[in-house]
Amino acid sequence: MPQNDPDSLEHVAGRVEALHDHFKQSKDKMVGVAGPNPFGDIRHPDERPGEPHPSEHAVNALHSFRDRMHGQFDAAAHLMNSTGGALREAARVLRETEAAAADSITVKDGSLD
């Protein structure tokens, strides 16, 4: 007979839900073009003098990438929350099932007579 362990399920649920926070923190660290470039000046593709900033196309591409990645992080965080909730619900159902079974056990060998 398989052994069910609701406490372990709840422990795993907590660990999975913690991933939600990690995804949110990672999302916050992913920014577009902000502040000085750590790799030095990025010149406009036309090599125009006096323009050490990225072109509008590069900025738009980076912002688009950032926005899509933020969507992926949000989806993953939502999935972790849902999975944690499902695990907690499974633990609750196991506890209720075990309690109901304990109340309705029938002894057939006559040892309690």
Side-chain angles (χ1 to χ4, degrees):
M1 177 176 202
Q3 294 293 318
N4 299 315
D5 185 5
D7 293 333
S8 292
L9 278 176
E10 286 187 345
H11 174 74
V12 171
R15 300 292 299 242
V16 167
E17 289 165 348
L19 290 174
H20 168 272
D21 298 333
H22 292 302
F23 279 117
K24 289 294 187 182
Q25 291 166 356
S26 294
K27 174 188 168 187
D28 293 340
K29 291 178 185 175
M30 180 173 269
V31 296
V33 177
N37 183 356
F39 303 108
D41 290 342
I42 298 176
R43 300 239 176 240
H44 192 279
D46 295 338
E47 291 294 324
R48 287 185 260 181
E51 289 196 31
H53 303 289
S55 70
E56 287 180 40
H57 295 295
V59 170
N60 290 339
L62 287 172
H63 283 282
S64 177
F65 175 77
R66 181 209 56 208
D67 292 344
R68 288 190 176 117
M69 288 305 300
H70 279 187
Q72 293 296 318
F73 280 117
D74 286 339
H78 178 74
L79 181 61
M80 293 303 104
N81 251 1
S82 298
T83 302
L87 288 168
R88 289 188 190 283
E89 181 66 15
R92 185 189 64 74
V93 168
L94 281 174
R95 284 195 177 93
E96 288 177 2
T97 303
E98 289 173 356
D103 289 341
S104 63
I105 291 181
T106 304
V107 178
K108 297 196 180 217
D109 65 358
S111 62
L112 295 178
D113 293 334

